[in-house]
Amino acid sequence: MPYTWNDIEQHVAACTHCPLSRTRRLPVMGRGNIQADLMLIAEAPGEQEDRQGIPFVGRSGELLDSLLQDCGLTRKEIYITNMIKCHPPGNRDPREEEKEACFPYLKYETWLLKPKIIVCLGRVAAQRIISPDFKITRQHGTWTCRKNCALTATYHPSAILRDPSKYEEAKRDFLEIVRKRKEDNGA
């Protein structure tokens, strides 16, 4: 298995561990600051990401950028990735075998990054990373600590696009993330 960022990218590019490798255009590796203390994890790439091989480049990415900006963050300060690296057809939820096939890549990304805070974007990521019974509408913004890392979840940007009233809740979640980050860094 991979030991460097370059190794992970090469493994992901050549991966054929699940059927999504046959339908993808481009696998989507995480992007951002590889020394960041803040890691965002979503569920899977969308259609635009599949075309460009970059996470969060479509409408969800624009909304995420606005949300980050409203909270004083930029992509240069964070690392953002997906649980799975290939686009599920029709934007369906990733299947269990697809999550299992890709999970080692996410583990290596996390191992190399060593974030202090992980933010799950959406229910699917939160249920895999935080707790299988995580309820995003009730538990977003709550914190769990595991292996010296603080974990939380908020709404996925695509959920906010479907229901713009969730924007203010997600913004409050991100403002708390920023506050916790500053607290953890002694600021």
Side-chain angles (χ1 to χ4, degrees):
M1 269 316 260
Y3 296 102
T4 68
W5 291 105
N6 191 45
D7 291 339
I8 293 173
E9 286 192 42
Q10 288 179 7
H11 279 269
V12 168
C15 181
T16 58
H17 291 127
C18 81
L20 291 179
S21 65
R22 295 191 296 271
T23 59
R24 72 174 182 227
R25 290 183 182 109
L26 293 170
V28 181
M29 245 322 274
R31 286 273 174 102
N33 183 339
I34 59 170
Q35 297 178 342
D37 59 355
L38 177 56
M39 180 182 204
L40 275 57
I41 302 173
E43 64 186 69
E47 190 174 337
Q48 292 300 316
E49 291 77 10
D50 184 48
R51 286 188 182 134
Q52 297 182 45
I54 302 169
F56 283 91
V57 292
R59 289 180 56 223
S60 289
E62 291 171 8
L63 191 137
L64 178 63
D65 289 342
S66 293
L67 189 57
L68 293 172
Q69 183 178 0
D70 283 353
C71 298
L73 291 170
T74 68
R75 285 200 195 208
K76 292 177 185 173
E77 298 173 71
I78 65 171
Y79 184 82
I80 187 164
T81 193
N82 288 293
M83 286 189 330
I84 67 169
K85 309 307 182 198
C86 298
H87 170 60
N91 283 337
R92 65 166 168 73
D93 284 354
R95 295 185 178 132
E96 204 54 44
E97 63 272 14
E98 295 160 353
K99 292 182 217 173
E100 287 301 316
C102 260
F103 203 67
Y105 300 129
L106 180 61
K107 284 174 74 171
Y108 275 100
E109 285 177 288
T110 306
W111 179 76
L112 284 170
L113 191 66
K114 295 174 183 49
K116 292 180 182 175
I117 298 174
I118 292 176
V119 179
C120 297
L121 298 175
R123 167 190 57 85
V124 174
Q127 287 178 342
R128 177 62 193 223
I129 306 299
I130 299 173
S131 172
D133 59 352
F134 194 92
K135 305 285 188 240
I136 194 74
T137 54
R138 281 187 252 147
Q139 293 176 277
H140 70 91
T142 60
W143 292 92
T144 302
C145 190
R146 198 173 299 136
K147 296 183 181 178
N148 296 319
C149 184
L151 295 97
T152 191
T154 192
Y155 294 109
H156 191 286
S158 64
I160 300 169
L161 287 171
R162 288 190 300 274
D163 181 359
S165 70
K166 288 180 168 55
Y167 188 90
E168 288 303 317
E169 289 178 80
K171 182 178 173 182
R172 283 193 295 275
D173 292 342
F174 268 98
L175 287 169
E176 177 59 21
I177 292 160
V178 168
R179 187 204 61 75
K180 182 158 186 54
R181 185 175 177 225
K182 286 179 182 172
E183 178 184 282
D184 289 353
N185 290 331

